[in-house]
Amino acid sequence: MQKVWIYLENGIFLEANSFGATGTSVGEIVFNTSMTGYQEIISDPSYAGQFITFTMPEIGNVGVNSDDMESKSCHCKGVLVRNYHHEYSNFRAQGDLDSLLKEHNVLGICDIDTRYLTKIVRDEGAMMMIASTKIHDKDELKKLLEQSPRIEDINYIEEVTTSEPYIHKYGAWNHKEMAYNKAVMSDKKVVVIDFGVKRNILNELVESGLEVEVVPSNFKADDLIARFEASQIGGVFLSNGPGDPLTLTSEKEQVQKLINANIPMFAICLGHQMLSIAHGYDTYKLKFGQHGGNHPVANPETKVVEITAQNHNYNVPDNIVEIANITHMNLFDNTIEGVKYKNKEIFSVQHHPEASPGPHESKYIFSEFAKIVK
């Protein structure tokens, strides 16, 4: 291991040990409270541009494997962990986390007080930071950080979206077969707008009985509307993704066209926020976001509480009740977690019902979408 130096934009300067890639990287620091699933978190495209602080102190102990990747790459800037375990023990493991981070040029930072960092982010909010295995001078790191663009200034969607359309051919994980189910032919087809979609979202859409076609984020709404009117597709899904949704002006215009065409739509996370913005209700940034696998969410009508997985820094505004019915509320901070738009076959959730490795209490939402697909 070699040394790594960290500078936070609030002036805090720290030294720690490193694993994974070397070099210098700038991003936004957030914390994640999940107890398991570090590989799925690190490979989630929604973390592009961010450093992930894990509150779970032991990371790396179950290794990594190709089946648990949520995308083809790891898009986060780095991970900060209390204890990194290079030696792993798991019958599914194919390698160690250190090698995975090196392969995808992601900094690993360990032997650092993650509880201290979590409290800083909790009290002061998500902030920019810089980490380097090459530069140890505080003033130089500060200067580089001040000269770097902020996360809201960068369109990370362009980095994480697919370059070409494709058909997704797998369903949910089959524990007996220890493999993903193969997709079956369906007479219901949906198009997924890829803003940084997680593989397990696509798996659950397939598992709910849909044929799934994934298209890039620079899609043309007119093309999809023509296909819908010709009965070639029956609905559209807007995926999760990284960054500030208010910067996606061209994407907003295309989503507005889909809304006006009355196409059945379902959206998760960034897609949920995009629907709000396209309806004229701008999102706002939370103090430190919601990232983890243990967030209680309640249905105001049924009073049923689901434990959910979360990963977002932005939220839809409270006044969206003017045009939508609230279907889910976060019991940690009473923010809106799900809406169904009035007089439309359009609904969305902020949390992740596909949650892999869990919890799985919200998976039924994919079936709700399948019911309204033409």
Side-chain angles (χ1 to χ4, degrees), residues 39-63:
Q39 184 182 349
E40 291 93 327
I41 293 165
I42 293 169
S43 59
D44 180 350
S46 293
Y47 280 108
Q50 293 180 320
F51 282 90
I52 308 165
T53 303
F54 285 97
T55 61
M56 176 63 182
E58 312 296 333
I59 299 294
N61 48 336
V62 295

Side-chain angles (χ1 to χ4, degrees), residues 76-176:
C76 61
K77 292 291 186 177
V79 298
L80 300 101
V81 307
R82 180 65 187 93
N83 298 317
Y84 167 64
H85 296 267
H86 187 73
E87 301 297 327
Y88 54 86
S89 177
N90 187 281
F91 73 101
R92 294 177 63 235
Q94 298 168 336
D96 58 78
L97 179 59
D98 176 60
S99 299
L100 180 72
L101 296 188
K102 286 176 179 174
E103 178 185 353
H104 297 289
N105 196 33
V106 175
L107 284 174
I109 300 168
C110 61
D111 301 325
I112 193 169
D113 190 342
T114 51
R115 178 177 291 185
Y116 170 69
L117 290 172
T118 299
K119 287 180 177 179
I120 289 173
V121 175
R122 181 195 66 187
D123 294 342
E124 301 184 34
M127 65 184 73
M128 297 297 291
M129 64 163 276
I130 184 172
S132 179
T133 59
K134 307 292 185 181
I135 304 168
H136 58 81
D137 182 75
K138 176 181 177 181
D139 292 334
E140 186 175 352
L141 289 173
K142 178 182 178 181
K143 182 179 179 181
L144 285 173
L145 180 60
E146 291 173 345
Q147 293 174 344
S148 300
R150 301 184 65 83
I151 189 169
E152 54 266 26
D153 299 326
I154 303 172
N155 184 351
Y156 282 105
I157 303 297
E158 297 173 347
E159 297 182 12
V160 301
T161 189
T162 181
S163 58
E164 297 291 338
Y166 64 93
I167 301 296
H168 187 71
K169 299 180 179 180
Y170 295 95
W173 178 257
N174 187 316
H175 289 280
K176 291 183 179 180

